Amino acid sequence: MEYLIYGAITNARALIEEVLLEIEERLTGQREKNGGEISALYNRIKKLINFDSGQEGLNDSLKQILQGLNSIVVGIGRLRTKASDSQAREYKPNEHHARLAVNSAMTFTSFIIESYSYQQNKKNKAYI
């Protein structure tokens, strides 16, 4: 059972990374080198899709949620480093920790995909 927990954490991070790289490729035509640092990748993508929590005119509640999304990405990246099957584990996560990572990754990736799609549809309609 333990290997499922470790693999779930690894896959949660991989899901986030792949979605971010796909959005980057669609917007820029190429995938930049990632180097394994998921927060640096997310910072690049945030600029491309206007996910800056400091932007003016954005509701304070939405700013807080966007900051939470940043925490999800950073947290899952660190959890994978310390408690997954990809590297030597510094601690042993429990099943509910893996479930938290997976569900958080799903929430994050669903929102960022929907936001990207919304922006693309809005942009395309402006030219019709």
Side-chain angles (χ1 to χ4, degrees), residues 57-121:
L58 191 62
N59 177 289
D60 286 342
S61 298
L62 289 175
K63 286 181 183 182
Q64 190 170 13
I65 292 170
L66 288 174
Q67 291 169 348
L69 290 177
N70 191 69
S71 294
I72 287 171
V73 172
V74 171
I76 290 174
R78 289 181 182 164
L79 185 62
R80 180 202 161 253
T81 300
K82 298 183 182 296
S84 75
D85 61 359
S86 64
Q87 299 181 15
R89 285 177 287 286
E90 292 181 20
Y91 82 96
K92 182 178 170 183
N94 292 311
E95 184 177 336
H96 63 283
H97 298 139
R99 188 172 290 115
L100 175 64
V102 168
N103 290 335
S104 296
M106 296 278 295
T107 297
F108 171 80
T109 55
S110 293
F111 181 73
I112 201 164
I113 289 168
E114 289 173 10
S115 296
Y116 166 77
S117 295
Y118 171 81
Q119 290 178 15
Q120 293 305 301
N121 288 336

Side-chain angles (χ1 to χ4, degrees), residues 2-3 9 27-28 34 43-44 66-67 70-71 89 91 102 124-125:
E2 286 180 6
Y3 65 91
I9 292 168
L27 290 172
T28 66
N34 184 23
N43 287 334
R44 286 197 324 254
L66 288 174
Q67 291 169 348
N70 191 69
S71 294
R89 285 177 287 286
Y91 82 96
V102 168
N124 292 336
K125 287 180 182 177

